[in-house]
Amino acid sequence: VIGREFAQRILERVTPNSKDLSKPLEELKALEVIQQIRVLPEAEYIFKHVLTQVVVYESLLLKKRKYLHGLVGQAIEEFYKDRLEEQYEALAHHFSNSTYFDKAVQFLELAGNKAAKYFSLGEARRHYRAAIELLDSKKKSSEDKDLYINLSLKWAEVSHYVASEDHIEILESSLKYARGFRDETRLARITYWIGRMQYSLGNMLES
C-alpha cells in the first residue's frame, strides 16, 4: 500500500505492534524481496520486483486497502509537514484510494498546481481530472460546486491543445454552477473556454 519504495518510519506508523521492524526487514532483505536503498537521513527500502508488491497489494481486501492508504497519507502529512510540496503526488494517490474524500480532492488540486507550475501539463491534466471525477461521484454542496468551477477552469487552462467533448461537458456544468452563484467573472472565463474548446474541435457555429 505504501508503494514500491517506502520509508521505515512510515511502515512503522501503519504496522500494528511495530516496536521493532528491523528483524523482519532484514529477513525480507535476505530473501531478496526488498532492498535497502537509503540509510540517511532515514532508512528507505524498495521491493526488488514490482510484481511482488502488486501481488501483496491485490491480496488485501478493498476495505483494508482504503484504511491503510488513509493511515499512510496521514503519516506522510505528519512526517513531511515542513516540505509537504515534495509529497503532493503521494498524498493525492493515498488519499484518493482512502475514505478521506476532502483530502483527496485537496491534494489532487495541489499536485495539479505543482505540475502546471513546472509545465508538466499532461500530469496536471490527470490530477485536475481526477479531482473533478471525485467531486462528480457525490452530491455536491455549495462549497463543492465552487471548487468544481475552479478545477474545471484550471483543467481547461492546461488543455490548450487537447480539447475534447469531455472538457465542454464539464465546463457547461461549471457554467450552470457559476450562474447559481451569479459569479460574472467566472461566467465570462467559463464562456471563453467553452468557445475556445468548441473552436479547437472545429465546431465553428457553437464557438
Side-chain angles (χ1 to χ4, degrees):
V1 170
I2 298 175
R4 190 180 177 205
E5 295 184 20
F6 57 93
Q8 183 171 336
R9 63 173 172 168
I10 299 291
L11 182 63
E12 289 170 348
R13 171 56 60 90
V14 302
T15 305
N17 306 315
S18 59
K19 291 183 179 178
D20 186 11
L21 290 176
S22 299
K23 184 177 179 181
L25 285 171
E26 287 300 320
E27 290 173 352
L28 289 172
K29 283 168 62 180
L31 292 169
E32 297 191 342
V33 174
I34 63 172
Q35 173 183 339
Q36 188 163 5
I37 56 173
R38 194 168 289 109
V39 177
L40 297 172
E42 60 180 321
E44 292 185 9
Y45 300 84
I46 186 172
F47 279 94
K48 292 192 74 172
H49 304 288
V50 66
L51 186 59
T52 305
Q53 184 230 338
V54 171
V55 169
V56 174
Y57 182 81
E58 293 294 336
S59 70
L60 295 170
L61 294 174
L62 180 60
K63 185 176 180 181
K64 182 70 171 179
R65 278 188 228 165
K66 286 181 174 288
Y67 171 72
L68 290 172
H69 275 297
L71 283 184
V72 173
Q74 289 175 317
I76 292 172
E77 273 194 296
E78 178 183 341
F79 292 144
Y80 301 101
K81 61 185 176 183
D82 294 329
R83 46 193 178 99
L84 207 58
E85 185 177 0
E86 297 173 13
Q87 302 296 326
Y88 284 166
E89 297 84 357
L91 287 162
H93 167 71
H94 287 297
F95 285 128
S96 292
N97 287 285
S98 75
T99 56
Y100 292 89
F101 177 92
D102 290 340
K103 283 186 176 292
V105 174
Q106 174 192 353
F107 285 108
L108 282 166
E109 181 178 16
L110 288 170
N113 295 348
K114 177 182 170 182
K117 182 171 71 173
Y118 294 110
F119 301 101
S120 183
L121 302 186
E123 187 176 349
R125 286 193 293 271
R126 181 171 59 83
H127 289 308
Y128 291 143
R129 184 70 181 93
I132 290 166
E133 285 176 356
L134 277 180
L135 288 172
D136 268 336
S137 70
K138 57 171 279 193
K139 184 176 180 180
K140 299 178 190 66
S141 64
S142 181
E143 290 78 11
D144 291 333
K145 291 176 182 177
D146 184 69
L147 182 55
Y148 189 97
I149 294 169
N150 291 336
L151 284 166
S152 69
L153 285 167
K154 288 181 179 183
W155 187 40
E157 287 165 3
V158 295
S159 303
H160 299 82
Y161 305 111
V162 288
S164 69
E165 295 293 342
D166 199 25
H167 284 93
I168 294 168
E169 182 181 341
I170 286 169
L171 286 165
E172 285 177 343
S173 293
S174 288
L175 192 68
K176 179 179 68 175
Y177 299 146
R179 283 176 180 148
F181 290 130
R182 297 182 180 179
D183 187 333
E184 297 298 331
T185 301
R186 287 192 295 180
L187 275 170
R189 290 178 64 200
I190 296 164
T191 302
Y192 164 78
W193 279 109
I194 291 174
R196 182 161 178 172
M197 293 292 176
Q198 293 282 20
Y199 182 83
S200 296
L201 291 170
N203 302 328
M204 301 306 172
L205 288 176
E206 289 84 350
S207 67

